[in-house]
Amino acid sequence: MSEPAIGTGPGRVLVAVYGVFALAAGARAGVQIATRFDEAPLAYALSAFAAAVYLVLTVALAMGNRTLALVACGIELAGVLVVGTLGMVDPEAFPRATVWSGYGSGYLFIPFVLPLLGIYWLLRRR
């Protein structure tokens, strides 16, 4: 009997949430970059990068690419931890919020919790 794909069952929720985050972060970053990039280029570029990571995760989970999904979850978690910590240590580093600022506090800490859930799901489905 073969193992269920990682993007099925409860994994579909991860695919859906990452898809929503890819759209939300991408749209937000697109508007910020197009209208006021000079105000906070690093913060807005990081939001665009986060959107790209979410898009990769959406596709990797939906296609069942466990390795790519694990790498992307690791990048997301590292981004949330690094940006969250840098923002607390040096608030001037990010004059405008990114998706990962404050450990994802602007998004109800979902950017912090989501990669942990993703890693758990991916490793549990082995």
Side-chain angles (χ1 to χ4, degrees), residues 30 32-33 48 50 66 69 75-77 90 99 101 109 115 119-121:
Q32 291 169 329
I33 289 170
R66 183 183 316 279
I75 291 169
E76 178 190 7
L77 183 59
D90 182 15
V99 175
S101 294
F109 298 99
I119 291 168
Y120 170 77
W121 176 254

Side-chain angles (χ1 to χ4, degrees), residues 67-86:
T67 302
L68 181 58
L70 276 169
V71 169
C73 278
I75 291 169
E76 178 190 7
L77 183 59
V80 170
L81 293 173
V82 169
V83 171
T85 301
L86 284 176

Side-chain angles (χ1 to χ4, degrees), residues 12-88:
R12 287 184 185 176
V13 174
L14 282 175
V15 173
V17 173
Y18 274 120
V20 168
F21 266 73
L23 288 171
R28 175 182 176 179
V31 168
Q32 291 169 329
I33 289 170
T35 61
R36 51 186 191 266
F37 184 71
D38 58 321
E39 291 177 13
L42 179 59
Y44 299 154
L46 279 170
S47 286
F49 178 72
V53 171
Y54 294 142
L55 180 60
V56 167
L57 268 160
T58 302
V59 173
L61 288 167
M63 300 296 288
N65 190 332
R66 183 183 316 279
T67 302
L68 181 58
L70 276 169
V71 169
C73 278
I75 291 169
E76 178 190 7
L77 183 59
V80 170
L81 293 173
V82 169
V83 171
T85 301
L86 284 176
M88 298 199 60

